[in-house]
Amino acid sequence: MGAVAWALPGADRMAADKLIFLLRLFNVLLLLPLPLLFHRAARNLLGEGPVAMTAAFLPLLVAGLARSAATINNDNLAFLLGAAVFALSMRVLRGDTGVRTAAWIAVLCVAASLTKSTVLMVLVVVPIAYGIRALRARRLPRWPTLAVLVAGAAGAAVWWVRNLVLFHAVQPNAWGSQFARAQGSPRTPDNPPDWDRFWSTVRFALPSRLWGALGILEPPRLPTPMVVTLTTVTVLAALFAVATQRGLRWEFAALFAVPLASLVMVVWQSYRHYLAYVAIAAIQGRYAYPALIGLLLPIAVLVVALLGRFRRWAPALVAAAGLLVTGWGLYASVEYTWLVRGRALVPSDWGTALRNLAGFFPWAPWVLGGIGVVTAALAVAGVVATVLSCRRLPPGPPPAAPADGFRPVPAAVGA
């Protein structure tokens, strides 16, 4: 992203705040394909229909994505690559074991492994998908496909094997002199771990930062009832999908297990750090964002099933819920960032917050106004398009999946 910024005309003479703004804009662009990837993943697994359309709006339920979109780091690239790997793995689950799909998966896995270590857990979905497909079909993929997958696995492991050889650790310490500041003071024998404090922090912080990591850490944060509701619905939806999707139970269980394992790994790493340091560190819900498709897709299945003959309106319902969650998160972020600490953002203070924002904006106020107008216009157009699309969806139930869970995808099956 930095290379792209410096390639812009006049970048060497551009003010630093303008360059940073452009980097943030590039990061936002990285997340724009997420709705398409969610839709494609659901379509690959369940076919066209309300569930696939509803899945496109699922990212709106994670307010932390809006904060991440404007943060300059490698997270957004990891989210994008993880979602793409998930979408293609769902294609494999439905019968596409061709060389072309395997090659795309291999390339994406190599790119993801070079992006961020937290993506490595997500890549487990690839052997899981091929394993389930092999059990369903009672045969392994053809040897060209296996060769491509082995080459991709070797390429994805190169960097981490290098670290192990050179530094005797898969992920060596990169904090340097700042390690103590990040992890807290080393633990001494007279200061044993406070496990009540640790587990209460995990119960509070992990779901809060999963759904609304609005400042990476708190504050700001989403309201506790909203976080509890989102977490409860997600768990119930996963159980519902596993229980009701005949022929796809193993698929849904495996897809949900991948993000769940990512979150367990987050807690385990924090547990290990807490044994040696006094700070409770590394509890970040965003580390599971590359596997969000596996975490959220059951929600689309649940909503469509609950609406029954009104299932065509499931996309609009999830879109409205997502706009409430993300809108609440953005509102809380504006309140925390652009007003005096502790002051609530009420309509009478909207002008003050906007003026404070404009005072830090690197370009003229009319540019900020133009961005606001375009954003509002796109939002209105999106609402209208969603309603029209819902009206065109068939009202009846989707076709049932065969008992073995195999419905070939449209192209490249066995190629």
Side-chain angles (χ1 to χ4, degrees):
M1 303 304 290
V4 173
W6 285 113
L8 294 174
D12 55 341
R13 300 183 301 275
M14 192 176 296
D17 56 348
K18 293 184 178 181
L19 273 177
I20 291 174
F21 176 82
L22 292 177
L23 284 173
R24 294 185 190 277
L25 181 60
F26 293 148
N27 256 21
V28 171
L29 295 178
L30 281 176
L31 289 188
L32 289 184
L34 274 188
L36 176 62
L37 289 172
F38 271 68
H39 174 270
R40 183 59 61 90
R43 193 184 72 174
N44 287 344
L45 188 64
L46 298 166
E48 292 282 5
V51 173
M53 268 198 65
T54 303
F57 297 98
L58 292 174
L60 287 172
L61 295 174
V62 185
L65 283 173
R67 190 273 312 158
S68 179
T71 303
I72 303 174
N73 57 21
N74 56 358
D75 276 339
N76 287 359
L77 185 57
F79 304 161
L80 179 65
L81 292 171
V85 170
F86 252 84
L88 286 175
S89 295
M90 290 185 182
R91 189 177 177 90
V92 172
L93 286 170
R94 299 321 301 263
D96 185 352
T97 57
V99 175
R100 182 185 303 175
T101 298
W104 273 110
I105 289 176
V107 170
L108 289 170
C109 285
V110 172
S113 71
L114 295 175
T115 301
K116 199 176 183 73
S117 63
T118 52
V119 187
L120 296 181
M121 181 65 71
V122 177
L123 301 187
V124 175
V125 73
V126 175
I128 288 176
Y130 277 97
I132 292 176
R133 186 66 253 151
L135 291 174
R136 295 286 194 193
R138 296 181 176 84
R139 61 181 175 84
L140 292 174
R142 297 166 59 188
W143 71 264
T145 297
L146 292 175
V148 170
L149 293 173
V150 170
V158 166
W159 178 260
W160 309 103
V161 172
R162 166 197 174 273
N163 286 348
L164 196 60
V165 171
L166 293 180
F167 306 108
H168 308 291
V170 174
Q171 187 175 6
N173 169 32
W175 285 98
S177 61
Q178 299 298 311
F179 189 79
R181 179 181 178 185
Q183 307 297 336
S185 303
R187 189 170 298 285
T188 57
D190 60 342
N191 186 15
D194 183 349
W195 294 117
D196 287 340
R197 173 174 172 260
F198 176 82
W199 290 114
S200 64
T201 300
V202 169
R203 287 193 299 270
F204 168 81
L206 191 62
S208 175
R209 295 170 187 174
L210 173 66
W211 298 107
L214 306 179
I216 298 185
L217 303 179
E218 301 86 8
R221 58 183 300 271
L222 293 176
T224 298
M226 184 178 289
V227 172
V228 172
T229 300
L230 288 169
T231 304
T232 303
V233 169
T234 301
V235 174
L236 292 178
L239 295 175
F240 176 84
V242 172
T244 62
Q245 294 300 296
R246 185 175 64 90
L248 290 174
R249 293 189 176 99
W250 283 106
E251 284 82 349
F252 272 102
L255 292 173
F256 189 78
V258 174
L260 187 62
S262 296
L263 294 174
V264 170
M265 183 60 68
V266 167
V267 176
W268 169 246
Q269 291 291 342
S270 181
Y271 173 88
R272 290 177 61 244
H273 283 123
Y274 192 57
L275 287 173
Y277 298 90
V278 298
I280 301 176
I283 299 179
Q284 296 286 339
R286 62 192 170 98
Y287 293 156
Y289 284 7
L292 272 181
I293 290 179
L295 190 73
L296 300 182
L297 182 57
I299 295 178
V301 175
L302 176 62
V303 172
V304 169
L306 290 178
L307 289 181
R309 63 192 182 94
F310 300 105
R311 65 181 65 240
R312 68 167 69 179
W313 296 106
L317 178 62
V318 171
L323 288 174
L324 173 64
V325 173
T326 296
W328 198 305
L330 292 174
Y331 197 85
S333 297
V334 169
E335 177 183 87
Y336 182 79
T337 307
W338 302 115
L339 288 181
V340 176
R341 289 288 186 270
R343 187 170 178 177
L345 182 59
V346 295
S348 60
D349 285 330
W350 289 355
T352 301
L354 182 59
R355 285 191 294 272
N356 291 337
L357 170 61
F360 281 87
F361 192 70
W363 274 285
W366 67 267
V367 178
L368 178 61
I371 293 175
V373 170
V374 171
T375 302
L378 289 175
V380 172
V383 170
V384 173
T386 300
V387 172
L388 293 178
S389 298
C390 289
R391 289 175 61 87
R392 288 196 294 267
L393 284 173
D404 70 344
F406 177 74
R407 185 189 294 125
V409 288
V413 176

